[in-house]
């Protein structure tokens, strides 16, 4: 019997009622009396020197409040970068200035040059069209390998080159890896591109800045995954506003996928301009602006080499990656191709020697930062593609080759610095073979052939490091922030609870799943628990939601705070029932004295906490409210095995995904339905990357896929029904819930399965195709077949 | 969107008069023009909505047996008519339900987007475009990307299509927009076979005459034999090279012939 409440049950998502009936309250729904609107005039050239900006005519136009340029921000801080990567020589990365409005130079199409504040958005746009900007165009730096050649045009004049850093990991292994590859029985080499993506959350970014003249308090309403992080970065590093004078609110947020982690220029502008203009200032991105100002994802060019012995055991792995940073360093950009990527190159396998080299490069493109999976999809894709190629080259079964190299003993310290606590890769592979009905593939292939279609099957494994992360570890790796999480549990007098979490929900369903945990611990109905998130004014300082961390880290903080609540409540109950608190048991919302028939209801005790007439006032304060900060001692390591079956139309190259199965190990599960949904969404994004999505710049730095007319988003009819299973559970050993995180798995695990399946289909048809770069559009697949 | 005046006449004559103003622009279902306005890519001083003119809506047959579709008829109505299944199938796959409930055949034909679907059917069937002032053969009407024989202020009031014995439209969707990357309409009529190709050419919609000739003698996909569409003048972009589009023209023509009903 499935559970009907508490941990392991699947109550419907309570927040969906308001989302589906139009009652959500998003940032764009916030309108403050007297607000003005800002329109950003953005560069239409990729690279150029600003000769002059003439706003004189525009300033006289109807409704215009003020027009700001980069000059206005020259004395104000730029946008900070939250992670410093150290290069192979031990030197810090090159870190360019990132002005709020472009100053002296524009560095990508979409770089904001002027901000026009007017009574209405239409007036602001009209005025922006009257601004005369004179730009001396410079050659655009687009191709990463050309960008780092001697004499290349520099994106930032004050840096020594376009190389942000040249990172080696583990540098001490370099010679041994080189030697192992040189002397290997077999080496499989693959060069591939991990395509640049635009996150495209359904809700574009929005910011509303407000300044109260009477108190000097600032408020920023913004579409963020982590309002406290924005408050710290913007307050301390950009605008110089202390936290107690700055409130950041991220209300309902319509999807983030990583791109709403970062601190953006528009947020700083609206907050600052609210005081300058003495009016609230609002900005809502158009979809076109989102394409050219939201941080993009992926964009790696990689060469990977896998060495094997005669028995098919992996002996060494070496990779060289060029990672695009774009024109500026977005908040966490440097960490993505390094610590979130290199540390995962062991995958599920006991390869003893690994060396990862990453060259991060500045180009005249939109900044690139974390996008669902962030570094781990890039690692998984190259590793699982090269293993598939190696299996084909050596005539081995791709599943068996993986199996013989699986890590089977835990904890396992990889040669790339992380220690996996638990996992059972054979179990997820066994489960996958069952749910994907791999045995039935030949029959399905024959049926496809009858229709003239080429059918292929692709399998891959993945591992990811989630629940980011131990603060002391990430601090050593260059993070400039802690990565704990927080929760305050406030019990009201009549027994209801409010959990104020530092995590943020923008689609993950925290308002449903978090109460399941707390209600289960106390033994009360879930509707007695409310989740509050997204407002720095009423939540404890927390680091927000990304990296599949909310339940593993934020949920653990909530458990710790609830444990404190229960401990105190037991003492109150013991006092009232005249027993020792050691003898008090809490079950189903009832406190009992062990071995007696004495009992007290949860509500009686909570009332006593606030009406302390019969209360141990000498020993304890009244009230029932506790806060916990939780900092894990390791990442969590979800893993799994995925299988994709495709049909390829030999006449057109069109690929359709016919079946997709995912067997995941997420440790313990709180709400299986929400986990299913997270995996579904992740797989959809992964299939989107594999088959459809492609962000393309031409050689002049023009973004040619700048709208949905050319940027192909995945749609429901691109997907088969997914078969997902998460019954293989090896609970995390170091957090109190034993959970691992599930938000990114689908996006990490699915692209290699799709590409492996297409290559399989073509090879079975006798085509000499070993690799096609994503997205596997009909035109690309057809060209590969010719 | 820039500010504009708006008129909503109820007769063709009123509409023609309203369109005489400088900077006036006819507005059909608005499925192309409204997004263009929202992106500030057009600045008409006045929009003349045609949606209030009942006389240019509806579908009937004339004495010659042609399907006569008012210019203001929406795609959904064309998708639901049963006289010309090939055309119904084409209309049923334009855009999405919202587009099909608003967009009109007159608007599509007048705009002549190089990736619009209807022009392929009009060329393949030898249709006639009726305006407020004259009748124009489809072969003369479509003159290149976004270019037609229409004069300033001329309104498409009706489209008359001979109903073929057999027809079919094959659309190979561009992955992002889902407009045809290549679309081929094949019509087998009493006088021969028409093959209209959309989406593929820098010159807009065109007839693949070599295929028409081959199919007129033998209406089967095999008749295409070694025939290959030329890649000269075809569009090459991020979604497919000119050679790929040329290849698709042949594949889709064959499929349309096989599926024609």
């Amino acid at each position: 019997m499935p559970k009907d409440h508490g941990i392991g049950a699947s109550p419907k998502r309570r927040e969906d009622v308001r989302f589906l009936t139009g009652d959500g309250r998003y940032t764009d729904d916030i309108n403050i009396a007297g607000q003005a609107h800002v329109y950003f005039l953005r560069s239409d050239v990729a690279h150029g020197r600003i000769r002059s900006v003439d706003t004189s005519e525009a300033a006289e136009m109807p409704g215009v409040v003020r027009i700001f340029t980069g000059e206005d921000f020259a004395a104000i801080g730029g946008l900070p970068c939250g992670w410093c990567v150290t290069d192979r020589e031990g030197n810090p990365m090159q870190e360019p200035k990132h002005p709020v409005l472009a100053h002296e130079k524009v560095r990508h199409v979409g770089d904001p040059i002027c901000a026009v504040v007017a009574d209405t958005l239409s007036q602001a746009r009209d005025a922006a069209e009257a601004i005369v900007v004179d730009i001396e165009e410079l050659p655009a730096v687009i191709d990463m390998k050309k960008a780092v050649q001697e004499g290349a045009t520099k994106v930032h004049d004050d840096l020594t080159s376009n190389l942000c850093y040249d990172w080696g990991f583990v540098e001490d292994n370099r010679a041994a890896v080189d030697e192992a590859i040189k002397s290997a029985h077999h080496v499989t080499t693959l060069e591939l591109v991990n395509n640049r993506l635009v996150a495209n959350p359904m809700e574009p970014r929005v910011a509303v800045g407000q300044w109260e003249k009477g108190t000097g308090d600032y408020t920023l309403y913004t579409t963020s995954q982590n309002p406290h992080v924005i408050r710290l970065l913007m307050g301390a590093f950009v605008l110089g506003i202390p936290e107690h004078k700055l409130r950041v609110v991220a209300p309902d947020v319509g999807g983030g996928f990583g791109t709403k982690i970062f601190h953006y220029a528009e947020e700083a502008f609206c907050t600052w301009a609210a005081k300058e203009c003495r009016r609230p200032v609002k900005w809502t991105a158009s979809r076109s602006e989102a394409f050219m100002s939201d941080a993009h994802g992926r964009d790696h060019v990689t060469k990977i080499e896998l060495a094997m012995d005669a028995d098919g055991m992996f002996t060494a792995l070496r990779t060289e990656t060029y990672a695009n940073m774009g024109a500026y360093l977005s908040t966490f950009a440097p960490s993505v191709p390094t610590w979130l990527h290199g540390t995962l190159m062991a995958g599920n396998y006991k390869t003893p020697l690994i060396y990862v080299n990453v060259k991060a490069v500045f180009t005249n493109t939109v900044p690139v930062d974390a996008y669902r999976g962030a570094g781990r999809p890039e690692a998984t894709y190259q590793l699982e593609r090269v293993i598939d190629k190696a299996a084909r080259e050596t005539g081995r079964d791709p599943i068996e080759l993986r199996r013989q190299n699986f890590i089977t003993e835990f904890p396992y310290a990889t040669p790339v610095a992380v220690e996996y606590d638990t996992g059972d890769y054979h179990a997820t592979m066994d489960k996958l073979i069952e749910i994907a009905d791999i045995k039935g593939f030949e029959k399905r292939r024959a049926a496809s052939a009858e229709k003239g279609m080429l059918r292929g099957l692709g399998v891959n494994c993945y591992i990811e490091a989630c629940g980011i992360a131990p603060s002391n570890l990430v601090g050593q790796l260059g993070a400039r922030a802690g990565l704990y999480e927080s929760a305050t549990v406030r019990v009201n007098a009549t027994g209801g609870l409010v959990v104020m979490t530092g995590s943020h929900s923008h689609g993950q369903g925290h308002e449903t799943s978090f109460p399941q945990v707390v209600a289960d611990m106390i033994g009360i109905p879930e509707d007695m628990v409310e989740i509050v998130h997204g407002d720095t004014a009423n939540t404890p300082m927390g680091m927000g939601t990304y990296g599949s961390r909310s339940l593993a880290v934020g949920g653990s903080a909530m458990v710790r705070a609830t444990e404190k609540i229960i401990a105190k409540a037991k003492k109150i109950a013991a006092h009232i029932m005249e027993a020792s608190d050691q003898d008090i048991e809490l079950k189903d919302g009832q406190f009992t004295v062990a071995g007696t028939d004495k009992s007290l209801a949860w509500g009686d005790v909570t009332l006593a906490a606030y009406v302390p007439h019969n209360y141990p006032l000498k020993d304890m304060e009244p009230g029932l409210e506790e806060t916990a900060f939780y900092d894990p001692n390791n990442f969590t390591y979800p893993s799994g095995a995925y299988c994709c079956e495709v049909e390829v139309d030999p006449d057109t190259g069109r690929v359709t995904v016919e079946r997709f199965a995912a067997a995941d190990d997420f440790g313990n599960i709180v709400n299986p339905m929400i986990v299913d949904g997270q995996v579904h969404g992740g797989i959809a994004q992964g299939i989107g990357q594999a088959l459809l999505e492609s962000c393309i710049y031409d050689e002049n730095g023009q973004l040619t896929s700048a709208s949905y007319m050319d940027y192909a988003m995945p749609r429901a009819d691109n997907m088969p029904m997914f078969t997902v299973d998460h019954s293989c559970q090896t609970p995390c050993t170091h957090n109190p819930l034993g959970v691992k995180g599930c938000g990114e798995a689908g996006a990490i695990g699915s692209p290699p399965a799709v590409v492996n399946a297409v290559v399989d289909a073509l090879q079975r048809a006798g085509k000499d195709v070993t690799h096609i770069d994503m997205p596997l559009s009909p035109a690309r697949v057809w060209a590969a077949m010719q | 969107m820039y500010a504009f005046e708006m008129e909503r006449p109820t007769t063709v004559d009123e509409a023609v008069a309203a369109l005489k103003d400088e900077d006036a622009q006819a507005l059909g279902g608005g499925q192309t023009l409204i997004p263009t306005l929202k992106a500030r890519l057009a600045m008409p001083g006045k929009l003349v909505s045609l949606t209030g003119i009942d006389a240019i809506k509806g579908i009937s047959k004339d004495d010659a047996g042609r399907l006569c579709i008012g210019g203001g008829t929406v795609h959904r109505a064309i998708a639901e008519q049963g006289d010309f299944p090939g055309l119904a199938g084409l209309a049923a796959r334009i855009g999405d339900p919202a587009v099909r409930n608003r967009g009109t055949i007159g608007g599509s034909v007048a705009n002549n987007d190089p990736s619009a679907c209807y022009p392929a059917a009009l060329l393949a069937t030898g249709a006639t475009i009726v305006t407020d002032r004259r009748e124009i053969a489809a072969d003369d009407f479509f003159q290149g990307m976004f270019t037609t024989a229409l004069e300033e202020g001329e309104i498409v009031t009706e489209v008359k299509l001979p109903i073929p014995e057999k027809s079919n439209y094959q659309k190979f969707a561009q992955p992002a927009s889902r407009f045809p990357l290549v679309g081929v309409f094949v019509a087998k009529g009493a006088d021969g076979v028409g093959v209209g190709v959309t989406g593929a050419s820098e010159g807009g919609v065109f007839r693949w005459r070599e295929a028409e000739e081959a199919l007129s003698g033998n209406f089967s996909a095999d008749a295409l034999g070694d025939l290959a569409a030329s890649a000269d003048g075809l569009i090459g972009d991020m979604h497919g090279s000119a050679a790929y589009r040329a290849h698709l023209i042949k594949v889709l023509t064959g499929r349309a012939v096989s599926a024609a009903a």
Side-chain angles (χ1 to χ4, degrees):
Chain A
M1 257 307 264
K3 291 182 70 175
D4 64 358
H5 68 278
I7 292 173
S10 289
K12 287 187 178 165
R13 302 192 343 154
R14 58 170 77 166
E15 50 268 71
D16 283 349
V17 176
R18 71 174 188 275
F19 294 153
L20 295 175
T21 56
D23 291 327
R25 188 167 183 257
Y26 296 90
T27 308
D28 192 51
D29 294 321
I30 292 167
N31 292 296
I32 304 169
Q35 77 188 6
H37 296 262
V38 60
Y39 178 79
F40 291 96
L41 178 65
R42 297 178 184 277
S43 178
D44 57 7
V45 301
H47 195 193
R49 207 170 300 285
I50 303 172
R51 285 204 194 100
S52 64
V53 179
D54 181 358
T55 60
S56 55
E57 188 189 336
E60 301 304 315
M61 290 186 52
V64 172
V65 178
R66 285 273 298 274
I67 299 176
F68 300 91
T69 68
E71 290 295 326
D72 295 295
F73 280 86
I76 297 169
L79 302 176
C81 180
W83 201 300
C84 182
V85 165
T86 304
D87 74 8
R88 290 173 52 201
E89 313 288 325
N91 300 314
M93 66 188 188
Q94 294 209 79
E95 194 169 354
K97 292 194 183 86
H98 188 174
V100 173
L101 295 177
H103 190 237
E104 295 175 349
K105 271 177 88 171
V106 290
R107 295 185 177 86
H108 65 87
V109 169
D111 210 359
I113 300 169
C114 294
V116 183
V117 180
D119 291 340
T120 69
L121 178 59
S122 201
Q123 289 169 331
R125 284 187 76 172
D126 288 345
E129 288 176 9
I131 295 173
V132 181
V133 181
D134 183 13
I135 292 178
E136 174 198 350
E137 248 190 275
L138 299 168
V141 180
I142 301 299
D143 182 276
M144 284 192 277
K145 290 184 180 172
K146 288 183 190 160
V148 293
Q149 284 169 1
E150 197 72 30
T153 303
K154 285 194 289 185
V155 177
H156 295 278
D157 301 347
D158 51 347
L159 302 186
T160 60
S161 71
N162 292 318
L163 185 67
C164 177
Y165 54 73
D166 181 1
W167 183 74
F169 185 65
V170 174
E171 196 60 27
D172 291 345
N173 289 349
R174 186 183 178 105
V177 170
D178 288 350
E179 183 51 40
I181 287 176
K182 202 188 289 176
S183 60
H185 172 75
H186 183 87
V187 179
T188 296
T189 303
L190 185 58
E191 294 188 37
L192 46 79
V193 174
N194 203 293
N195 41 329
R196 179 184 274 244
L197 304 175
V198 183
N200 276 310
M202 197 178 293
E203 176 205 33
R205 290 190 297 117
V206 184
V208 187
Q210 186 179 18
W211 180 72
E212 297 282 352
K213 188 168 175 233
T215 60
D217 290 345
Y218 292 86
T219 303
L220 169 68
Y221 300 90
T222 183
T223 48
S224 177
Q225 301 176 212
N226 29 249
H228 280 285
V229 175
I230 301 304
R231 183 174 71 164
L232 181 62
L233 290 176
M234 183 175 78
F237 297 100
V238 187
L239 301 180
I241 306 168
E243 288 99 313
H244 63 280
K245 303 303 284 180
L246 175 59
R247 176 183 170 205
V248 176
V249 185
D252 286 335
V253 172
F257 311 114
T259 204
K260 290 178 184 167
I261 298 171
F262 323 119
H263 177 39
Y264 286 97
E266 296 88 354
E267 295 172 318
F269 177 83
C270 288
T271 307
W272 177 83
K275 182 181 181 188
E276 289 292 309
C277 299
R278 297 293 194 269
R279 287 173 71 171
V281 174
K282 180 172 187 173
W283 171 73
T284 300
S286 66
R287 186 58 67 183
S288 303
E289 278 184 293
F291 270 99
M292 57 179 152
S293 69
D294 291 4
H296 292 173
R298 315 282 193 257
D299 206 352
H300 287 191
V301 175
T302 293
K303 178 182 178 187
I304 181 168
E305 295 159 288
L306 174 65
M308 287 158 54
D309 68 15
D311 298 325
M313 299 306 294
F314 304 155
T315 55
L317 184 74
R318 180 168 64 193
T319 73
E320 183 188 30
T321 289
Y322 288 80
N324 208 332
M325 294 286 102
Y328 305 100
L329 288 177
S330 176
T331 312
F332 292 113
S335 67
V336 174
T338 51
W339 299 109
L340 296 176
H341 163 251
T343 51
L344 274 299
M345 283 314 307
N348 310 53
Y349 313 101
K350 48 195 176 198
T351 315
L353 285 166
I354 298 175
Y355 179 73
V356 178
N357 176 243
V358 178
K359 297 174 181 74
V361 183
F362 294 110
T363 60
N364 291 118
T365 63
V366 171
V368 180
D369 206 326
Y371 167 71
R372 201 172 191 169
R376 290 149 291 167
E378 295 91 324
T380 303
Y381 180 66
Q382 52 183 291
L383 181 61
E384 295 294 326
R385 282 289 302 125
V386 82
I387 292 172
D388 229 58
K389 189 168 182 240
R392 293 181 188 286
E393 284 178 358
T394 59
R396 293 170 196 277
D397 178 80
I399 292 176
E400 291 311 313
L401 179 61
R402 286 177 168 88
R403 279 192 189 273
Q404 74 178 79
N405 284 284
F406 274 164
I407 295 159
T408 53
E409 286 171 26
F410 298 88
Y412 176 81
T414 72
V416 276
V418 290
E419 183 174 290
Y420 302 161
D421 59 343
T422 57
D424 186 344
Y425 308 143
H426 284 295
T428 45
M429 183 59 85
D430 290 343
K431 178 56 74 176
L432 180 77
I433 289 168
E434 173 198 330
I435 63 172
D437 183 27
I438 289 179
K439 283 200 185 99
F441 171 72
E442 272 307 323
K443 206 173 156 190
R444 294 189 292 274
R445 193 175 80 84
S448 297
E450 287 278 304
K451 296 185 293 174
M453 303 299 267
L454 314 178
R455 198 177 187 102
L457 180 143
V459 165
N460 68 270
C461 300
Y462 78 87
I463 181 149
E464 52 167 330
C466 291
I468 179 172
S471 293
N472 56 5
L473 174 61
V474 298
Q476 291 166 27
L477 306 184
R480 290 163 170 166
L483 283 167
Y484 59 85
E485 199 43 87
S486 64
T488 295
V489 176
R490 177 179 296 159
V491 186
N492 293 319
T494 60
L497 292 89
V498 178
V499 178
M500 289 154 275
T501 172
S503 299
H504 186 276
S505 186
H506 34 276
Q508 292 86 351
H510 297 170
E511 292 171 40
T512 302
S513 55
F514 279 25
Q516 289 179 250
V517 174
V518 175
D520 213 340
M521 291 175 72
I522 299 170
I524 54 174
E526 283 141 24
D527 62 9
M528 287 177 69
V529 184
E530 194 73 19
I531 302 298
V532 170
H533 64 92
D535 185 343
T536 59
N538 58 20
T539 57
M541 171 83 176
M543 300 309 290
T545 289
Y546 38 81
S548 306
R549 71 192 300 274
S550 292
L551 192 61
V553 191
S556 295
M558 180 177 69
V559 168
R560 291 278 186 258
T562 307
E563 284 169 352
K564 291 186 195 177
I565 292 283
I566 291 171
K568 186 173 180 185
K570 281 184 174 175
K571 285 183 183 165
I572 301 169
H575 175 86
I576 297 170
M577 293 192 282
E578 298 177 334
S580 160
D581 58 311
Q582 303 299 321
D583 294 335
I584 303 293
E585 291 170 355
L586 172 62
K587 191 169 179 254
D588 296 334
Q590 290 286 326
F591 295 93
T592 54
V593 182
T596 76
D597 58 358
K598 285 188 191 173
S599 79
L600 264 180
W602 167 255
D604 294 329
V605 173
T606 61
L607 187 65
Y610 292 96
V611 188
H613 297 164
N614 180 12
Y615 192 91
L617 285 168
K618 268 192 248 169
D619 305 323
M620 283 194 314
E621 296 168 5
L624 206 47
E625 176 168 328
E626 299 288 348
T627 294
F629 286 77
Y630 177 80
D631 206 319
N633 62 29
N634 195 353
F635 293 89
T636 62
Y637 299 95
S639 62
Y642 283 19
C643 179
C644 177
E645 271 183 51
V646 298
E647 275 187 356
V648 180
D649 181 340
D651 293 334
T652 65
R654 183 161 184 263
V655 176
T656 49
V657 179
E658 297 294 317
R659 293 166 66 93
F660 201 102
D664 294 293
D665 174 2
F666 296 134
N668 294 336
I669 303 276
V670 169
N671 184 316
M673 177 198 70
I674 287 179
V675 171
D676 282 354
Q678 288 285 308
V679 176
H680 288 180
I683 294 172
Q685 282 183 299
I687 291 175
Q689 170 165 29
L691 295 183
L692 295 160
E693 298 185 48
S694 189
C695 179
I696 296 175
Y697 282 92
D698 69 13
E699 67 274 19
N700 300 316
Q702 291 297 324
L703 182 58
T704 53
S705 55
S707 80
Y708 291 145
M709 289 299 282
D710 287 306
Y711 188 92
M713 290 295 285
R715 306 184 205 186
D717 65 358
N718 295 120
M719 306 295 152
M721 293 302 288
F722 303 131
T723 305
V724 303
D725 182 282
H726 26 78
S727 62
C728 299
Q729 297 178 355
T730 61
C732 170
T733 56
H734 56 80
N735 67 45
L737 288 164
V739 297
K740 293 184 171 182
C742 67
E744 297 161 295
I748 293 169
S750 55
V754 178
V755 180
N756 289 348
V758 173
V759 170
D760 182 60
L762 299 183
Q763 294 221 343
R764 284 171 190 272
K767 305 282 183 190
D768 181 25
V769 176
T770 55
H771 179 69
I772 307 174
D773 274 326
M774 302 185 290
L776 272 56
S777 64
R780 281 190 180 180
V781 174
W782 179 79
M785 284 192 289
Q786 300 312 305
Chain B
M1 199 178 280
Y2 299 105
F4 52 82
E5 301 292 315
M6 179 90 175
E7 280 191 40
R8 195 160 184 268
T10 55
T11 68
V12 171
D13 288 347
E14 286 171 13
V16 170
L19 282 169
K20 288 208 160 68
D21 287 4
E22 204 182 337
D23 292 341
Q25 164 81 48
L27 173 67
Q31 298 308 294
T32 300
L33 183 54
I34 297 296
T36 307
L37 294 176
K38 286 170 79 171
R40 293 193 161 202
L41 296 173
M43 197 162 50
K46 181 166 80 174
L47 287 183
V48 179
S49 170
L50 307 180
T51 54
I53 308 172
D54 290 338
I56 61 167
K57 293 178 191 170
I59 303 173
S60 60
K61 278 206 264 187
D62 68 6
D63 294 343
R66 293 183 295 182
L67 194 69
C68 302
I69 306 173
T73 308
V74 297
H75 311 322
R76 182 184 160 190
I78 298 166
E80 289 174 354
Q81 56 78 29
D83 291 313
F84 187 167
L87 189 68
L90 175 152
R93 285 180 293 144
I94 296 172
D96 57 20
V99 169
R100 293 194 289 273
N101 278 316
R102 292 290 305 174
T104 64
I105 189 170
S108 172
V109 168
N111 191 45
N112 192 17
D113 185 301
S115 294
C117 295
Y118 287 120
L122 269 56
L123 278 186
T125 56
T128 301
I129 291 94
V130 185
T131 75
D132 57 272
R133 60 201 72 163
R134 55 183 169 147
E135 296 201 350
I136 311 169
D139 280 334
D140 302 326
F141 183 86
F142 299 108
Q143 299 183 343
M145 272 193 187
F146 300 106
T147 309
T148 68
L150 290 174
E151 297 165 354
E152 277 302 305
E154 189 172 8
I155 298 169
V156 175
T157 56
E158 192 174 47
V159 178
K160 296 179 179 175
L161 301 99
I163 299 176
E165 293 165 15
K166 287 182 169 184
S167 66
N168 183 260
Y169 178 62
Q170 292 285 322
K171 174 164 98 170
F172 192 84
Q174 191 254 60
S177 69
R178 298 203 174 177
F179 278 62
L181 186 71
V182 175
V184 176
F185 197 97
V186 169
K188 181 181 186 301
D191 309 331
V193 174
V195 178
V197 179
T198 188
S201 171
E202 289 175 343
V205 67
F206 69 95
R207 286 171 64 180
W208 187 18
R209 293 186 187 269
E210 293 89 342
E212 291 179 351
E213 208 167 293
L215 292 166
S216 292
N218 173 16
F219 191 68
S220 84
D222 296 340
L224 296 172
D226 293 335
L227 211 56
S230 167
D232 289 348
L234 297 192
I235 299 166
D237 61 14
M238 71 178 88
H239 304 293
S241 63
Y244 181 58
R245 281 180 167 84
H247 170 77
L248 283 180
I249 291 170
K250 167 110 181 256
V251 171
L252 299 179
T253 303
R255 289 182 181 183
V257 170
S258 299

